[in-house]
């Protein structure tokens, strides 16, 4: 890619998005770097969303984008699905939050238990970060041990236990968290040798997502299942992204039962809601009737508006819906393969409706910019998650655009 090409792209983006630029400049006076979410910043500034409908977002300048990110995999039905909007409208009119439980949280919990037999009991949270934080706390409380193992390149949110090395996270915590090599049983055994009696939990994304899309081999997940059991540690599947891959997530596809699972993204139907749960003997520690319990408050836990949206969403996810998502995934894989054939060294990974693409010689930020100029939104690092209203023609258009970008013909 030529420098001139990059400059032209930037100029095109600036010319298309004056309204977003003005908002971003205004935002920098109130929000650090103009942003409240590291993951939605891409230089020079992101387009500001005005509205979304189905597979598309329209920005404040009136540009339409095919949304291939869907709020980082969470909008499996796309934007403003009428059934979800209706469920939310109905609940919002009845009250948006109570210091009292609602039937909706019971229904959503039942729906999740139906889909995930390993989830005997569960608790709701507002974010995936809280869900993994509480799952690890539950594992430590249950085992009476403090060491947690996680994998290189994995992402479990932003709380201290899973963010070692970040400014502000106490260095002492690093002694309680081991980072394991991915997909390598021998290296895992070696990394934990001698520390097995301290191990409370192994937390793993069955399909690594935000840190670079990569599925774990089923045998590797089975190895982790056996390893954790053999050493008295709990196995936690973080299915916050991978739950979109099938009615029972990856654990359902492979028939592996973790001790605990974390969920988020799609289960809130586009609203902030997540969950953690699993074995009853572990989760019973949260029982408020117990004298010695793990306290778990949360002003908006199980929020009825989010629960209504989540339930409405999950009810749309029939067997046909999952087949359709897989077919769309296969379509994008085929198109991307053809598009990248003339760009050796580029890479593409696809798992169900999730994919990731990178072009050799083009920085991810430049690919993001090139795609944004042509009306496509992907994660700044090239990850995408297809929603149900996306069409084959949408994906074909995306692949052709990528082919032009790979050939340097877009600028
Ligand atoms: N775990 C995984 C696998 C995730 O992908 C994410 C978010 O992307 C999280 C946890 C954190 O979820 P949240 O952003 O809702 O805090």
């Amino acid at each position: 890619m030529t420098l001139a090409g990059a400059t032209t792209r930037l100029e095109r983006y600036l010319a298309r998005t004056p309204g977003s630029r003005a908002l971003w400049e205004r935002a920098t006076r109130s929000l650090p770097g103009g942003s409240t979410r590291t993951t939605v910043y891409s230089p020079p500034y992101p387009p500001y969303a005005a509205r979304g409908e189905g597979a598309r977002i329209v920005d404040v300048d009136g540009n339409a984008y095919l949304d291939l990110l869907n709020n980082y995999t969470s909008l499996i039905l796309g934007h403003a699905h009428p059934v979800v909007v209706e469920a939310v409208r109905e609940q919002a009119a009845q009250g948006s939050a109570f210091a009292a439980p609602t039937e909706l949280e019971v229904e959503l919990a039942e729906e999740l238990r139906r889909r995930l037999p390993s989830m005997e009991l569960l608790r709701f949270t507002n974010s995936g970060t809280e869900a993994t934080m509480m799952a690890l706390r539950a594992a430590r409380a249950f085992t009476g041990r403090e060491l947690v193992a996680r994998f290189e390149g994995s992402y479990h949110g932003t709380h201290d236990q899973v963010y070692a090395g970040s400014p502000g996270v106490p260095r002492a915590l690093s002694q309680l968290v081991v980072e394991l090599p991915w997909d390598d049983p021998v290296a895992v055994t070696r990394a934990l040798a001698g520390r097995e009696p301290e191990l409370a939990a192994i937390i793993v994304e069955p399909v690594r997502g935000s840190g670079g899309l990569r599925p774990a081999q089923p045998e590797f997940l089975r190895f982790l299942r056996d390893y954790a059991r053999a050493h008295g540690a709990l196995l936690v599947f973080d299915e916050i992204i991978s739950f979109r891959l099938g009615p029972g997530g990856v654990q359902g596809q492979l028939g592996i039962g973790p001790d605990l699972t974390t969920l988020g993204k799609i289960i809130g139907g586009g609203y902030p809601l997540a969950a953690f749960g699993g074995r009853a003997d572990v989760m019973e520690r949260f029982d408020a009737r117990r004298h010695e319990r793990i306290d778990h408050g949360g002003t908006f836990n199980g929020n009825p508006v989010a629960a209504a949206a989540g339930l409405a969403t999950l009810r749309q996810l029939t067997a046909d819906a999952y087949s359709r998502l897989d077919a769309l995934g296969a379509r994008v894989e085929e198109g991307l393969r053809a598009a990248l054939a003339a760009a050796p060294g580029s890479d593409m990974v696809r798992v169900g409706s999730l994919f990731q693409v990178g072009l050799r010689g083009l920085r991810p930020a430049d690919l993001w910019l090139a795609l944004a100029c042509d009306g496509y939104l992907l994660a700044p690092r090239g990850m995408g998650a297809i929603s149900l209203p996306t069409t084959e023609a949408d994906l074909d258009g995306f692949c052709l655009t990528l082919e032009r970008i790979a050939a340097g013909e877009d600028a």
Side-chain angles (χ1 to χ4, degrees):
M1 298 303 135
T2 61
L3 191 59
T7 310
T8 311
R9 253 177 228 129
L10 181 59
E11 283 167 358
R12 274 177 71 203
Y13 186 75
L14 296 176
R16 278 166 58 92
T17 57
S20 287
R21 182 181 190 164
L23 271 174
W24 178 73
E25 281 169 358
R26 188 174 134 204
T28 55
R29 296 194 278 280
S30 304
L31 302 165
S35 176
T36 192
R37 190 175 169 193
T38 311
T39 44
V40 298
Y41 176 77
S42 195
Y45 50 82
Y48 276 67
R51 61 183 187 280
E53 191 187 339
R56 285 185 166 66
I57 288 180
V58 177
D59 73 11
V60 291
D61 293 293
N63 301 303
Y65 301 82
L66 177 67
D67 187 3
L68 288 166
L69 184 51
N70 286 293
N71 196 27
Y72 276 92
T73 80
S74 57
L75 296 161
I76 199 162
L77 303 182
H79 295 274
H81 189 286
V83 169
V84 178
V85 171
E86 192 43 43
V88 164
R89 202 194 306 276
E90 202 175 295
Q91 184 52 43
Q94 317 243 16
S96 65
F98 312 100
T102 64
E103 187 172 353
L104 282 164
E105 72 183 33
V106 183
E107 278 186 70
L108 183 57
E110 287 168 350
E111 176 68 31
L112 295 173
R113 285 184 53 237
R114 256 195 299 281
R115 288 164 171 261
L116 298 166
S118 74
M119 238 184 184
E120 294 171 341
L121 292 173
L122 62 124
R123 277 272 174 127
F124 291 114
T125 61
N126 301 136
S127 68
T129 290
E130 286 169 81
T132 63
M133 180 179 79
M134 294 311 298
L136 295 179
R137 187 176 300 171
R140 283 177 165 145
F142 182 77
T143 59
R145 302 168 172 189
E146 297 203 333
L147 188 67
V148 161
R150 51 164 299 182
F151 287 89
E152 64 188 17
S154 60
Y155 181 71
H156 302 291
T158 52
H159 60 89
D160 285 0
Q161 299 294 330
V162 290
Y163 232 79
S166 169
V169 174
R171 250 176 298 161
L173 270 184
S174 305
Q175 277 145 39
L176 300 179
V177 182
V178 182
E179 196 170 277
L180 300 175
W182 180 247
D183 229 358
D184 183 343
V186 175
V188 166
T189 309
R190 201 178 308 127
L192 288 169
R195 298 195 76 182
E196 300 91 339
E198 298 168 56
L199 189 63
I202 301 176
I203 184 166
V204 62
E205 290 173 88
V207 173
R208 213 175 63 184
S210 301
L213 187 65
R214 223 174 129 188
Q217 297 301 314
E219 313 83 71
F220 182 63
L221 296 174
R222 289 201 183 93
F223 157 78
L224 293 179
R225 175 59 290 176
D226 294 343
Y227 181 94
R229 194 174 283 128
H231 295 289
L234 300 190
L235 180 64
V236 184
F237 271 12
D238 182 348
E239 296 231 41
I240 285 174
I241 286 184
S242 63
F243 189 55
R244 71 155 33 229
L245 297 173
V250 171
Q251 58 189 272
Q253 289 174 338
L254 301 181
I256 301 174
D259 299 298
L260 294 173
T261 298
T262 55
L263 300 173
K265 311 275 190 193
I266 70 164
I267 70 162
Y271 291 75
L273 188 139
F276 66 100
R279 272 169 52 182
D281 56 346
V282 179
M283 292 303 293
E284 268 160 6
R285 305 289 166 117
F286 291 92
D287 187 334
R289 296 166 300 184
R290 283 172 68 120
H291 179 60
E292 274 207 16
R293 60 174 186 246
I294 312 174
D295 281 326
H296 172 233
T299 304
F300 291 101
N301 287 357
N303 177 261
V305 177
L311 263 176
T313 297
L314 293 178
R315 286 176 180 153
Q316 295 295 309
L317 296 176
T318 57
D320 283 353
Y322 286 106
S323 305
R324 168 93 188 129
L325 285 164
D326 283 343
L328 290 169
R331 180 82 168 210
V332 89
E333 176 173 348
E334 197 185 314
L336 287 176
R337 269 195 208 296
L340 300 183
S346 298
D347 60 286
M348 191 269 304
V349 182
R350 197 269 300 185
V351 186
S353 54
L354 300 166
F355 66 95
Q356 183 164 318
V357 60
L359 289 185
R360 195 177 62 112
L362 195 61
R363 292 179 310 151
D366 291 329
L367 176 59
W368 179 88
L369 192 64
L371 286 169
C373 286
D374 278 329
Y376 294 95
L377 278 186
L378 217 57
R381 62 178 173 277
M383 188 178 78
I386 303 167
S387 68
L388 267 172
T390 310
T391 65
E392 280 81 357
D394 287 337
L395 296 175
D396 295 350
F398 165 65
C399 294
L400 284 176
T401 300
L402 210 96
E403 193 169 343
R404 280 197 300 114
I405 295 170
E409 288 165 7
D410 62 304

